[in-house]
């Protein structure tokens, strides 16, 4: 009996048969190696490029892949040798051998949130409320790179916004609106309530005067509610709700917020007439509006998964940050800051809506951190007439500013500064002026130096003392939750403000 072959139990193999067997073994080994390498490359690809675009991998790439380069799905895998078709198509070929010829399949990772626990911080809470469709475009990548290349600026702005985010997010959730909107003031004003544009837009949400009037934001000699954190936030959300109801699309609503609803409607009409899609990305818009939503999407991506971009968001507790306390007439903001044991700039960051350095109208409030409210309330209660106060003086016929300033123990220049008047001004009789009545003016003068210049310098002929406000009434500590505001008249426009 002839000895049998160890592999097949047959007789002695011919040379050609032996070579085919060796080739088959080598092919199987290389296939198994390719499978392992492909799985490793697939695992790398499975890491999300951004939280809301988990299947994209180009965000982390330092350079774009050159034409003809291997894709991430196959990078690192050895070329799979071609085995004889007869061998791999037969039943003797193993399942692993056949699978090795197919590209590796990787499961895409998606951002998951554990909604059974409380939010860790305000950013966690914001992520839970994301509800807008995501925009995926080269402009988003461009804006994302812009922010990530400026980490110090990005962190500074997020820290500044931490004062306001709890209130904004709370309002958004109460209204059932997507929490991406809480990030919109970063695009509008970098969370600076004192921001003022060349288009005369003001505040966190950058209302121009006419739109502010439509949404009942008072703008007068004494206050500008476009800068008031509570009033302007509720007006902005009212406006965004209305234009969303108009379009039924958040991208179109945001474009309307930036460009004006009339402009967006005309662009939609033009696309309809030309048979083009009626979507944001297909509209012809100014460059600024084309960048507006990509900016918001870029910020959303960073907030959604900051660790992916090696960025650390500043800690902002998910808790009530501020409350409002009734503000007595005649108290200046510097005194209120001192009673609250707060630096003046920090106090003004929560009370940016005053145009003058003292409270002059009934129904006004001071906004302070929740842990300072009782202290301020007690301090205000201890003030008495002997401490002096501020009052309004109406200029009499023939009365000069120089004589009025001397009578109240301040210089002519100080009187002008306190009332936002330019040098050389001489208002007409009946003009209302803020004057000290037995109180040191230094604190109020410091407040004026921190107010927006445009708000301080006004034209005398345009200023009148309004009737007392009917807002507010209850005394003591109260929630900053505003009362429902009247909706705007139809056709309100808000132009881009930069």
């Amino acid at each position: 009996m002839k000895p049998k072959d160890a592999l097949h139990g047959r007789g002695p193999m011919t040379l050609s048969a032996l070579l085919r067997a060796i080739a088959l073994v080598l092919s199987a080994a290389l296939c198994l190696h390719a499978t392992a390498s492909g799985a490793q490359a697939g695992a790398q690809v499975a890491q999300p490029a951004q939280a809301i675009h988990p299947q994209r991998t180009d965000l982390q790439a330092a350079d774009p892949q050159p034409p003809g380069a291997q894709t991430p799905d196959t990078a690192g895998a050895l070329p799979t040798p071609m085995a004889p078709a007869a061998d791999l198509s037969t039943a003797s070929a193993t399942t692993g051998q056949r699978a090795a010829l197919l590209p590796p399949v990787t499961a895409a990772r998606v951002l998951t949130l554990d909604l059974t626990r409380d939010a860790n911080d305000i950013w966690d809470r914001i992520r839970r409320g994301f509800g807008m469709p995501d925009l995926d475009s080269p402009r988003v990548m461009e804006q994302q790179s812009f922010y990530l290349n400026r980490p110090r600026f990005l962190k500074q702005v997020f820290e500044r916004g931490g004062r306001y985010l709890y209130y904004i997010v709370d309002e958004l959730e109460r209204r059932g609106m997507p929490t991406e909107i809480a990030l919109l003031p970063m695009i509008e004003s970098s969370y600076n309530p004192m921001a003022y544009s060349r288009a005369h837009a003001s505040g966190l949400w950058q209302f121009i005067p006419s739109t502010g009037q439509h949404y009942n934001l008072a703008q007068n000699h004494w206050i500008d509610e476009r800068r008031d954190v509570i009033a302007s936030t509720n007006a902005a959300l009212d406006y965004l709700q209305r234009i969303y109801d108009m379009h039924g699309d958040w991208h179109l609503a945001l474009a309307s917020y930036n460009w004006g609803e009339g402009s967006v409607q005309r662009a939609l009409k033009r696309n309809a007439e030309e048979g083009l899609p009626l979507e944001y990305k297909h509209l012809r818009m100014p460059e600024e509006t084309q960048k507006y939503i990509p900016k918001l999407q870029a910020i959303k991506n960073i907030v959604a998964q900051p660790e992916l971009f090696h960025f650390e968001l500043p800690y902002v507790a998910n808790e009530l940050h501020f409350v409002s306390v009734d503000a007595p007439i005649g108290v200046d903001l510097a005194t209120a800051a001192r009673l609250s044991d707060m630096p003046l700039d920090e106090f003004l960051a929560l009370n940016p809506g005053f145009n003058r350095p003292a409270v002059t109208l009934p129904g006004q409030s001071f906004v302070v951190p929740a842990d300072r409210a009782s202290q301020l309330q007690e301090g205000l209660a201890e003030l008495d007439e002997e401490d002096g106060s501020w009052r309004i003086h109406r200029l009499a016929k023939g009365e000069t500013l120089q004589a009025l300033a001397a009578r109240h123990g301040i210089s002519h220049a100080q009187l002008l500064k306190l009332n936002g008047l330019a040098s050389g001004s001489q208002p007409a009789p009946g003009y209302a002026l803020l004057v000290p009545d037995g109180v040191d003016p230094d604190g109020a003068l410091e407040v004026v130096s921190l107010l927006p210049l445009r708000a301080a310098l006004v034209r005398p002929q345009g200023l009148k003392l309004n009737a007392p406000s009917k807002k507010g009434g209850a005394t003591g500590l109260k929630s900053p939750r505003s009362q429902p505001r009247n909706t705007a008249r139809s056709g309100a426009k808000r132009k881009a403000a930069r």
Side-chain angles (χ1 to χ4, degrees):
M1 181 178 295
K2 296 182 180 179
K4 293 185 178 180
D5 177 71
L7 291 177
H8 300 286
R10 296 189 297 269
M13 300 177 63
T14 64
L15 179 61
S16 60
L18 179 62
L19 290 177
R20 280 199 303 273
I22 293 173
L24 182 60
V25 171
L26 289 176
S27 176
L30 288 174
C31 288
L32 291 174
H33 180 75
T35 302
S37 300
Q40 181 180 5
Q44 295 174 350
V45 173
Q47 297 298 321
Q50 55 186 21
I52 49 269
H53 296 295
Q55 296 182 347
R56 291 181 55 186
T57 58
D58 53 339
L59 289 179
Q60 287 183 294
D63 296 299
Q65 291 290 334
Q70 289 180 311
T71 65
D73 284 336
T74 59
L78 295 177
T80 304
M82 291 297 294
D87 291 339
L88 290 178
S89 62
T90 61
S92 63
T94 66
T95 303
Q97 290 173 342
R98 289 194 299 271
L101 296 179
L102 301 175
V105 178
T106 60
R109 287 180 55 187
V110 296
L111 179 66
T112 59
L113 297 169
D114 182 3
L115 300 181
T116 63
R117 60 168 176 80
D118 293 334
N120 294 330
D121 55 20
I122 197 65
W123 309 113
D124 192 15
R125 185 177 176 185
I126 288 173
R127 292 181 197 111
R128 295 166 182 238
F130 283 165
M132 290 186 187
D134 295 313
L135 184 67
D136 187 1
S137 73
R139 290 185 183 274
V140 174
M141 300 291 294
E142 178 185 337
Q143 297 301 323
Q144 198 164 274
S145 297
F146 174 86
Y147 289 120
L148 292 171
N149 287 332
R150 294 160 178 81
R152 291 181 61 185
F153 162 78
L154 194 61
K155 190 166 186 176
Q156 180 185 32
V157 173
F158 280 140
E159 288 175 345
R160 184 189 301 151
R163 300 185 184 104
Y164 316 114
L165 281 171
Y166 183 91
Y167 179 78
I168 297 173
V169 173
D170 213 38
E171 274 297 304
L172 288 169
E173 289 180 346
R174 187 178 69 83
R175 296 164 179 252
M177 300 173 72
T179 52
E180 290 98 328
I181 295 173
L183 306 175
L184 195 61
M186 177 160 184
I187 313 303
E188 288 289 338
S189 62
S190 296
Y191 289 114
N192 179 8
M194 298 289 191
Y196 191 85
S197 78
R198 290 176 295 176
H200 310 295
S202 187
L204 285 176
W205 302 90
Q206 289 290 282
F207 276 98
I208 60 173
S210 59
T211 310
Q213 291 170 1
H214 278 296
Y215 284 85
N216 305 310
L217 296 177
Q219 302 163 63
N220 55 44
H221 191 14
W222 315 106
I223 60 173
D224 188 342
E225 288 188 327
R226 295 179 301 159
R227 298 199 308 269
D228 183 283
V229 175
I230 296 172
S232 68
T233 293
N234 286 278
L237 301 190
D238 287 345
Y239 184 28
L240 284 164
Q241 279 186 309
R242 188 175 74 82
I243 51 182
Y244 173 74
D245 290 341
M246 176 188 301
H247 296 296
D249 181 289
W250 277 114
H251 288 169
L252 294 177
L254 291 172
S256 297
Y257 190 86
N258 176 257
W259 189 21
E261 59 211 65
S263 299
V264 171
Q265 287 177 325
R266 286 190 291 272
L268 288 169
K269 181 180 178 181
R270 182 167 54 244
N271 272 30
E273 292 172 348
E274 297 177 3
L276 299 175
L278 304 180
E279 298 175 355
Y280 162 81
K281 62 184 179 181
H282 296 289
L283 299 183
R284 284 173 286 185
M285 298 172 288
E287 180 73 10
E288 179 188 320
T289 308
Q290 291 181 31
K291 292 181 178 179
Y292 189 68
I293 299 174
K295 286 180 181 179
L296 181 63
Q297 182 70 57
I299 296 299
K300 175 183 177 180
N301 293 350
I302 295 169
V303 170
Q305 205 163 11
E307 65 276 8
L308 186 66
F309 306 104
H310 307 288
F311 180 77
E312 183 179 358
L313 290 167
Y315 176 74
V316 179
N318 180 35
E319 60 187 27
L320 181 67
H321 185 79
F322 57 72
V323 294
S324 59
V325 174
D326 284 342
I329 293 177
V331 177
D332 64 70
L333 306 187
T335 297
R338 175 177 56 81
L339 294 175
S340 304
D341 194 22
M342 295 176 63
L344 184 56
D345 60 341
E346 288 286 332
F347 185 84
L348 290 179
L350 292 176
N351 297 272
F354 290 92
N355 277 344
R356 295 295 174 264
V359 179
T360 56
L361 299 174
Q364 297 299 113
S365 298
F366 291 134
V367 176
V368 292
D371 59 355
R372 305 294 176 91
S374 296
Q375 179 179 344
L376 173 60
Q377 195 174 26
E378 293 170 1
L380 292 173
E382 293 174 359
L383 294 176
D384 53 41
E385 294 182 0
E386 295 180 0
D387 296 319
S389 65
W390 293 83
R391 66 182 181 86
I392 295 173
H393 174 83
R394 287 188 177 277
L395 204 60
K397 186 176 181 179
E399 185 178 24
T400 66
L401 295 182
Q402 290 83 351
L404 178 63
R407 193 160 63 248
H408 288 276
I410 57 176
S411 68
H412 177 230
Q414 287 176 327
L415 181 63
L416 292 175
K417 185 176 181 180
L418 288 168
N419 288 276
L421 298 175
S423 178
S425 297
Q426 180 56 51
Y431 186 78
L433 293 163
L434 181 67
V435 295
D437 188 7
V439 64
D440 187 346
D442 288 348
L445 289 167
E446 184 181 359
V447 171
V448 171
S449 67
L450 297 175
L451 293 177
L453 178 63
R454 301 285 184 175
L457 297 178
V458 293
R459 295 178 297 175
Q461 62 269 28
L463 299 179
K464 296 181 180 179
L465 185 61
N466 291 340
S469 171
K470 297 180 180 180
K471 295 192 301 181
T475 59
L477 184 65
K478 54 185 181 180
S479 166
R481 180 86 68 195
S482 66
Q483 297 298 320
R485 308 181 69 87
N486 294 333
T487 56
R489 299 190 297 270
S490 61
K493 292 180 65 177
R494 181 191 185 281
K495 298 252 178 159
R498 289 293 180 271

